[in-house]
Amino acid sequence: DEATVFNSLTKRYEETFNDTAPALLSIPFIKQSSENKQATENTIDIGDKKRQEIAALLAQSITNSNRASQEKYAYNYIESQWSKWIEPLLAESQAQKIWAETVDQSIQDAKALYVSRYLDNPQKYATFNKAVAELLTFLEIPGLAGALSTTRNLVTWPVRKLFKMGKDTTTGSAPTEDQELEMLALILDRTSTRLNGFILDQQQDNEEQQDWWRALGKQLKQKKPVLTEHYTFTAKQLQTEFEPKIEDAAKQLYEQLQEQPILLNSLRAARATTDAGAVVLAVKSGGLAAADLIIAPAMLSVTSLLTESVLGKYMDRIKQQLKDEQEEQVNSQLFDAVLKERLLKLSSSIDNSKLLLGGDEFDFELAKA
């Protein structure tokens, strides 16, 4: 019946695929018997002649294969199955994108909080106060330098103690030495708390991404101490690096004052009568927080004279210049270069055997090609 079977298959193929049927080959049926039972468990001998026919047909089939057609059908199959195959990869890739967007938004909020709670807060912003305190140094009056120097040494310690005692009494806690560092620490704490909460929400709301978010949350918890240490160190370092700009601002104010002799003499008189030297020394020695300068007698008299004088607008310009430069420095070197960069790196260091990508990037179009 071989010829009948071959003829039937050929016609059915041509009707179905509208194409010439490929070469057909048959393997003879060998009925199992007690004599060849042991042999058939391993191999069946079809004879040298039949084996040679099969080998020749296979060789011919390989030679006549249409590779372009095979590639086309293979690609069509991949195309039809691709979205189903990469669903787990897409879920992890989407989680990475969501994390990057969330970190970016959190950093923008941190920058806005720094401006509103510190730079634009007259009770906390101390940088310009430091510049005015530095200006007091330039207002040294010839002939009084020695007396003021002695007074500084006598007054600095009591002033420091009084301010600390006042803070301890009113707040019940240790005095704050630096309002900016305190605000930056608060911003870091709020940012990490917000991101932790977001990660927990994603674990509950996205079942397909649950393992990824759980692994990320673990990374954030493990890396938080190192992140905090680096963040705090950088914040303090930036303050030190910014001090020359504060001195430059004071010099600019003093240069403008030199063009106003009457105002300059008035400020020198105020400096001599209010023991401004003690205030300056207290600030530089850490005995008086810069934010407290606004209530120091020397600062009240000097800033009042400056504000009400013809240099009032110029002083405002210098103050805004310091704010802009400080905002740019903190944004780029602390929030972006430290906080944002390290938070984004958390997703690239995920280690979880259940994940396909982990934190690696994956080019889906390239893989498909």
Side-chain angles (χ1 to χ4, degrees):
D1 296 326
E2 184 180 277
T4 302
V5 174
F6 274 25
N7 184 53
S8 176
L9 285 174
T10 300
K11 287 183 178 181
R12 181 67 61 85
Y13 185 95
E14 292 174 349
E15 291 173 357
T16 303
F17 299 105
N18 194 28
D19 195 6
T20 302
L24 300 177
L25 58 89
S26 64
I27 300 176
F29 172 71
I30 300 177
K31 186 175 181 179
Q32 189 179 42
S33 64
S34 57
E35 291 78 11
N36 63 12
K37 181 177 181 181
Q38 183 63 36
T40 56
E41 291 180 356
N42 299 304
T43 60
I44 297 176
D45 187 3
I46 61 176
D48 292 339
K49 182 179 178 181
K50 196 64 179 180
R51 188 180 300 107
Q52 290 172 3
E53 290 178 0
I54 293 175
L57 285 172
L58 286 175
Q60 182 182 2
S61 177
I62 292 174
T63 303
N64 296 333
S65 293
N66 187 338
R67 297 298 184 187
S69 177
Q70 290 181 359
E71 290 176 359
K72 175 185 174 182
Y73 289 119
Y75 186 81
N76 288 342
Y77 178 71
I78 293 174
E79 183 78 20
S80 66
Q81 302 296 320
W82 184 251
S83 59
K84 189 180 299 183
W85 289 346
I86 66 172
E87 278 181 1
L89 299 175
L90 283 174
E92 292 183 22
S93 180
Q94 182 64 20
Q96 288 180 336
K97 292 179 181 178
I98 292 174
W99 174 246
E101 292 171 357
T102 304
V103 168
D104 184 68
Q105 184 58 54
S106 298
I107 295 300
Q108 295 304 318
D109 294 343
K111 293 176 179 179
L113 191 62
Y114 176 70
V115 172
S116 63
R117 293 292 189 90
Y118 179 71
L119 294 179
D120 290 345
N121 188 337
Q123 276 71 45
K124 292 184 179 296
Y125 181 66
T127 304
F128 185 70
N129 293 339
K130 292 179 181 179
V132 176
E134 191 68 29
L135 175 63
L136 298 178
T137 304
F138 297 126
L139 297 177
E140 191 76 65
I141 304 174
L144 291 180
L148 284 175
S149 178
T150 302
T151 306
R152 293 172 195 166
N153 294 332
L154 295 173
V155 175
T156 299
W157 184 83
V159 168
R160 183 187 303 131
K161 289 295 291 182
L162 283 172
F163 271 97
K164 286 190 176 182
M165 288 174 61
K167 284 191 175 184
D168 290 342
T169 302
T170 56
T171 65
S173 60
T176 301
E177 295 294 338
D178 195 296
Q179 298 279 8
E180 183 183 20
L181 292 179
E182 184 183 58
M183 181 52 59
L184 290 173
L186 175 64
I187 290 173
L188 174 62
D189 185 63
R190 287 194 175 191
T191 301
S192 60
T193 300
R194 172 185 174 180
L195 291 175
N196 266 318
F198 179 80
I199 290 173
L200 290 175
D201 290 340
Q202 292 300 309
Q203 289 183 38
Q204 297 174 359
D205 298 340
N206 295 284
E207 185 176 350
E208 293 181 350
Q209 303 171 358
Q210 193 174 74
D211 290 332
W212 194 93
W213 288 108
R214 185 180 291 110
L216 181 66
K218 184 179 179 180
Q219 277 292 101
L220 180 58
K221 183 178 180 181
Q222 290 177 345
K223 302 294 184 180
K224 176 69 183 298
V226 177
L227 171 61
T228 302
E229 182 180 359
H230 190 199
Y231 177 91
T232 304
F233 174 80
T234 303
K236 293 179 179 179
Q237 188 177 41
L238 291 178
Q239 282 191 332
T240 302
E241 294 175 358
F242 199 75
E243 288 177 0
K245 294 184 179 181
I246 295 175
E247 294 178 3
D248 288 341
K251 289 178 182 178
Q252 292 180 49
L253 287 172
Y254 184 66
E255 288 172 358
Q256 291 295 317
L257 280 173
Q258 287 179 315
E259 298 178 6
Q260 305 286 332
I262 297 177
L263 178 59
L264 177 60
N265 290 332
S266 298
L267 288 171
R268 280 177 170 167
R271 185 188 191 285
T273 56
T274 55
D275 192 25
V279 175
V280 176
L281 187 61
V283 172
K284 291 192 172 184
S285 64
L288 186 63
D292 296 326
L293 288 171
I294 57 174
I295 62 174
M299 292 293 292
L300 287 173
S301 58
V302 171
T303 53
S304 296
L305 284 170
L306 282 172
T307 304
E308 296 169 3
S309 71
V310 294
L311 294 180
K313 290 185 177 180
Y314 183 78
M315 186 178 70
D316 291 339
R317 194 183 313 145
I318 294 294
K319 185 176 183 178
Q320 188 59 48
Q321 176 183 320
L322 278 175
K323 281 186 178 182
D324 292 342
E325 291 178 350
Q326 194 168 7
E327 181 182 1
E328 171 61 25
Q329 182 191 54
V330 171
N331 284 349
S332 62
Q333 299 184 45
L334 183 64
F335 290 139
D336 288 335
V338 176
L339 186 56
K340 182 178 180 177
E341 182 178 339
R342 290 192 168 231
L343 287 173
L344 290 177
K345 281 185 176 179
L346 291 177
S347 64
S348 63
S349 57
I350 291 178
D351 184 16
N352 189 317
S353 59
K354 294 182 179 180
L355 301 177
L356 299 172
L357 293 178
D360 298 330
E361 295 184 358
F362 189 76
D363 191 329
F364 293 99
E365 291 304 318
L366 179 62
K368 186 176 180 181

